[in-house]
Amino acid sequence: MIAWTRRSQRGARTERSTTPALPTSRDASLTAWALAARAGDPDAVDQFVRALHRDVRRYVTYLGADPQTADDLAQDTFLRALGSLHRFEGRSSARTWLLAIARRAVIDSFRTAAARPRLADSDDWQLAAERAQPCGLPGFDDGIALDELLAELPEERRETFVLTQLLGLPYAEAALVSDCPIGTVRSRVARARSALIASLSDAERCGLPERRELVGAMA
């Protein structure tokens, strides 16, 4: 996988793997792997990283990270998480715990970037995201259209919409990641959905074909 996964395995116990059998739900599986990884199971470390890498990368990208640095932020997130596994007790799902770490990693990267002299203007995020995605695949136009619409939302609404509607977190767990009350999460998601439906409806009236199919799905 990646170098830091191998490094994390060097200090693991040499005893027989304790990776648990797959539980019934995905979040239960992820949490079980995290707890086994905490106990020193290198196979569980690998399963945990592989299972959540895509979610973490997608989340940091939608939070506004430059797609070119999203992989670095995802790696930073897992480095922080693996270094903090001894404190993970399974009170929340491992995915909720990890996405909260990812959120802090993004915030820290913004603070670092703000303190650093800017040498040149970076490319527009939406154009960079479009270039980073493979062309000619089913759903490509819809993906780009949704990225553009989400980028127009206020940051807090975009975050809660991504957590609940794209990554599938329950509202209670999204509230833990976002560090706000569950009622606030529900309000932000409702407002984000309304704004997206309005934007999609406007695009449909203007005859933009790549956005038409999204209207029914979002309504």
Side-chain angles (χ1 to χ4, degrees):
M1 178 88 176
I2 34 187
W4 44 264
T5 303
R6 299 191 187 96
R7 287 199 299 270
S8 68
Q9 294 175 3
R10 291 183 189 140
R13 297 176 183 174
T14 56
E15 63 191 33
R16 184 173 60 86
S17 172
T18 57
T19 304
L22 192 67
T24 54
S25 75
R26 181 171 183 253
D27 276 336
S29 301
L30 297 170
T31 300
W33 284 329
L35 291 171
R38 186 189 68 173
D41 182 355
D43 292 335
V45 172
D46 188 63
Q47 292 276 20
F48 178 68
V49 172
R50 289 179 183 274
L52 279 168
H53 186 270
R54 182 176 180 273
D55 281 357
V56 169
R57 192 187 186 284
R58 192 178 191 186
Y59 179 53
V60 299
T61 300
Y62 276 118
L63 283 184
D66 183 339
Q68 295 179 1
T69 63
D71 284 329
D72 290 338
L73 281 169
Q75 178 163 319
D76 182 34
T77 296
F78 282 105
L79 283 170
R80 294 184 187 204
L82 294 177
S84 302
L85 268 176
H86 63 283
R87 293 196 294 267
F88 178 67
E89 298 179 353
R91 294 177 181 175
S92 64
S93 74
R95 185 163 59 140
T96 297
W97 174 75
L98 184 65
L99 291 176
I101 293 174
R103 189 174 191 264
R104 290 195 294 272
V106 172
I107 292 172
D108 288 346
S109 74
F110 287 162
R111 288 172 177 166
T112 300
R116 190 168 51 232
R118 190 170 183 177
L119 301 179
D121 291 335
S122 60
D123 290 341
D124 177 80
W125 181 88
Q126 294 173 349
L127 294 177
E130 185 168 351
R131 288 198 301 269
Q133 296 193 45
C135 298
L137 296 178
F140 170 72
D141 290 337
D142 286 350
I144 292 299
L146 182 58
D147 284 349
E148 292 174 350
L149 293 172
L150 286 171
E152 296 171 2
L153 293 174
E155 181 179 345
E156 292 177 343
R157 295 180 191 176
R158 180 172 68 245
E159 179 187 10
T160 52
F161 185 88
V162 169
L163 286 171
T164 59
Q165 308 304 304
L166 299 185
L167 298 183
L169 251 63
Y171 282 82
E173 297 199 6
L176 291 176
V177 174
S178 302
D179 193 24
C180 66
I182 188 172
T184 301
V185 170
R186 294 185 186 279
S187 175
R188 289 174 180 174
V189 171
R191 293 183 180 185
R193 185 183 288 112
S194 296
L196 289 171
I197 290 174
S199 296
L200 288 166
S201 297
D202 290 343
E204 184 181 29
R205 284 194 294 271
C206 293
L208 297 179
E210 68 273 15
R211 298 189 180 183
R212 286 173 182 165
E213 293 184 3
L214 291 175
V215 177
M218 200 70 67

